Amino acid sequence: PILEAMAARTPVIAAASAAAPDILEHGGGRLVPVSDAAAMAAAIVELCRLAPDDWRALSARAFATAQLYALETARARFESALLAVAGGRFDEAVKAA
């Protein structure tokens, strides 16, 4: 759901669990502590109060983040990592993943 929203250019607010921290480290939303209703409410208010230009910038960042996980992008990164491992370039493989 996080990536679906971001692919639709919608910034997200997510609890810091599962894949959310890894996805949101690239931008396009806000991460809040798990089970922290006050933090969630504050993030909702923050995003709702953004100036139009700031909202558009966050929306663009959300879309760009979603594109990092697009099928073709993921395939290319995976292939690069496999080729690096096969070639014994383990540091390169970690960067590709």
Side-chain angles (χ1 to χ4, degrees), residues 24-81:
L24 288 176
E25 77 178 358
H26 301 290
R30 300 292 184 266
L31 198 60
V32 298
V34 174
S35 300
D36 189 337
M40 180 65 76
I44 292 168
V45 169
E46 176 195 352
L47 266 58
C48 288
R49 289 184 175 165
L50 286 176
D53 286 343
D54 294 333
W55 173 265
R56 283 189 285 279
L58 190 59
S59 173
R61 188 72 225 142
F63 182 75
T65 295
Q67 296 312 298
L68 295 173
Y69 296 89
L71 183 59
E72 182 56 29
T73 304
R75 185 217 46 85
R77 289 175 59 202
F78 183 62
E79 180 181 32
S80 293

Side-chain angles (χ1 to χ4, degrees), residues 1-13 24 27-29 47 55 58-63 66:
I2 292 172
L3 288 172
E4 287 180 75
M6 296 174 102
R9 299 181 185 273
T10 304
V12 298
I13 301 166
L24 288 176
L47 266 58
W55 173 265
L58 190 59
S59 173
R61 188 72 225 142
F63 182 75

